Amino acid sequence: MSLFGDLSTSARSVLAGAGAAVVTIGRDGRGSGVVIAPGKVLTNAHNLRDRTTSVTFADGSTAQATMAGADADGDLVVLDVETGSIVPATWADRAPEAGDVVFALSRGGHRTRVSFGMVTSTEVEFQGPRGRQVHGGVEHTAALARGSSGGPLTDADG
């Protein structure tokens, strides 16, 4: 198979495997998130406006979530929300490294999106919301459309 055929196959596989765990954050779709455990969704802290937010699942159902915990320096937040029978995304066995091919998943509108790219750098520091320094970022080339922030970055195994 060709390189592009392999990428297409991998993208469809990642979408089929992890796509159901990807959610929309906020009524206006300001961000994405991912189910990481039963009743837990991980997203970027800057996607929240309050301690509660609306979460929309791949099947179109919506639930109100409350903030369970936050890491302002990492721009991360965990939400408590009823996730039903959604299978949580799995964690990779190792941290990403520069040169790894990755897939970015997000929910925009009423569909789950997937794009691919390459990790260009790890342990990146940058200025986040409200001027806070964010540490430990992963820089990649996967295209991200509006509303993608907070969605998972996966390897070819999802």
Side-chain angles (χ1 to χ4, degrees), residues 11-77:
R12 283 191 293 273
S13 175
V14 165
L15 192 56
V22 180
V23 301
T24 302
I25 303 295
R27 286 187 308 263
D28 61 354
R30 69 180 151 269
S32 296
V34 61
V35 176
I36 58 168
K40 304 291 182 199
V41 167
L42 177 69
T43 189
N44 286 122
H46 70 259
N47 287 334
L48 270 62
R49 302 294 181 257
D50 297 302
R51 293 186 63 82
T52 63
T53 192
S54 155
V55 173
T56 304
F57 299 95
D59 67 1
S61 64
T62 301
Q64 194 66 19
T66 57
M67 186 169 59
D71 174 6
D73 291 334
D75 189 30
L76 297 173
V77 66

Side-chain angles (χ1 to χ4, degrees), residues 44-46 71-76 121-140 144 149-150:
N44 286 122
H46 70 259
D71 174 6
D73 291 334
D75 189 30
L76 297 173
S121 184
T122 60
E123 296 303 317
V124 176
E125 294 184 20
F126 58 94
Q127 187 171 337
R130 294 178 282 292
R132 293 187 72 105
Q133 277 300 111
V134 176
H135 304 278
V138 175
E139 184 179 82
H140 60 84
L144 298 174
S149 179

